[in-house]
Amino acid sequence: AVIVPVYDDFEATRQCFDGLLADRPTLVERRIVVIDDATPDLGIAAYLDNLHEQGAIELFRHRRNLGFAASVNTALDTVGDEDVCLLNADTLVPPGFLDALSRSANVAPDIGTATPLSNNGEYTSFPAAFRSNDLPDATMVERLHRAAARANAGLSIELPNGIGFCLYITHSCLRDVGRFSYHFGRGYYEDVEFCLRAKAVGWRSICAVDVFV
């Protein structure tokens, strides 16, 4: 289940879904669960309605804006024995990203989360870590992903915690750890806290260095 919370920025959202819907995973069966977190943009609302009517996404709506953790938890309530991939609506994903993350996350039985390389992913930022590097366009994202796949095939690096912009979570880890915390209000720490709870019960977080998002 690919979980995408949506709020604002129509163009970024459209580009995100262009890439996500163009991806055709072969190793996993995929469904896309979208949470409209009370977007103020009627264009985004209509766009999501259209994707839902086409059968491309499953769509849930909040009546008021609740933030990232609540949006993720709304989607997690629909998840059974599935791995999940949390994906920000301003990401650009290359073809093959979901299969590659799934491979990395399922290499060892104690891996709980996998995060790709990114231009702006804290630990996983490339080429300069802990910096917001220039945002590549979709074509360059695909080229960087292919380069990472060639140079780092099958490799991963252990992380203190995964990063929520694109966070793959195995269903076993999710079963053990539970939902995202509401303790941080509108957030920017709940992904870290989830991974630290996972680590406390034996799950590892990795960076899949052969994937770029």
Side-chain angles (χ1 to χ4, degrees), residues 76 79-84 105-106 108-113 168-179 194 197-199 201-204:
L76 290 179
V79 170
D81 290 337
E82 299 165 273
D83 292 356
V84 303
N106 288 283
D110 63 341
I111 295 175
T113 76
Y168 192 104
I169 309 172
T170 66
H171 75 273
S172 296
C173 176
L174 193 61
R175 177 199 62 210
D176 286 353
V177 181
R179 300 302 189 247
F194 177 92
R197 277 191 285 136
K199 186 176 182 179
V201 293
W203 294 103
R204 291 191 293 131

Side-chain angles (χ1 to χ4, degrees), residues 122-145:
E122 299 180 18
Y123 302 111
T124 72
S125 290
F126 177 86
F130 296 103
R131 278 185 52 191
S132 176
N133 297 283
D134 290 343
L135 177 66
D137 62 18
T139 299
M140 182 57 71
V141 168
E142 187 171 347
R143 290 177 62 189
L144 288 166
H145 174 66

Side-chain angles (χ1 to χ4, degrees), residues 146-210:
R146 289 199 306 265
R150 286 194 303 270
N152 302 327
L155 298 179
S156 65
I157 296 172
E158 192 151 345
L159 295 175
N161 58 269
I163 311 296
F165 76 94
C166 180
L167 184 67
Y168 192 104
I169 309 172
T170 66
H171 75 273
S172 296
C173 176
L174 193 61
R175 177 199 62 210
D176 286 353
V177 181
R179 300 302 189 247
F180 274 48
S181 174
Y182 295 119
H183 291 168
F184 310 102
R186 304 192 69 77
Y188 302 107
Y189 190 72
E190 61 276 341
D191 51 349
V192 176
E193 192 268 351
F194 177 92
C195 293
L196 294 181
R197 277 191 285 136
K199 186 176 182 179
V201 293
W203 294 103
R204 291 191 293 131
S205 291
I206 63 163
C207 175
V209 293
D210 56 356

Side-chain angles (χ1 to χ4, degrees), residues 31-165:
R31 65 190 183 98
I32 301 170
V33 184
V34 178
I35 309 301
D36 174 355
D37 194 21
T39 179
D41 188 327
L42 296 179
I44 290 177
Y47 175 72
L48 296 178
D49 283 338
N50 186 50
L51 291 180
H52 178 60
E53 289 165 5
Q54 293 174 23
I57 65 171
E58 300 173 30
L59 179 61
F60 298 87
R61 280 207 160 93
H62 290 162
R63 292 187 176 182
R64 59 188 179 88
N65 182 255
L66 299 177
F68 180 78
S71 295
V72 169
N73 286 341
T74 294
L76 290 179
D77 287 341
T78 76
V79 170
D81 290 337
E82 299 165 273
D83 292 356
V84 303
C85 182
L86 310 184
L87 190 67
N88 281 4
D90 61 354
T91 52
L92 294 173
V93 297
F97 90 101
L98 192 60
D99 278 344
L101 283 175
S102 178
R103 272 195 305 268
S104 292
N106 288 283
V107 161
D110 63 341
I111 295 175
T113 76
T115 304
L117 294 174
S118 179
N119 67 298
N120 187 15
E122 299 180 18
Y123 302 111
T124 72
S125 290
F126 177 86
F130 296 103
R131 278 185 52 191
S132 176
N133 297 283
D134 290 343
L135 177 66
D137 62 18
T139 299
M140 182 57 71
V141 168
E142 187 171 347
R143 290 177 62 189
L144 288 166
H145 174 66
R146 289 199 306 265
R150 286 194 303 270
N152 302 327
L155 298 179
S156 65
I157 296 172
E158 192 151 345
L159 295 175
N161 58 269
I163 311 296
F165 76 94

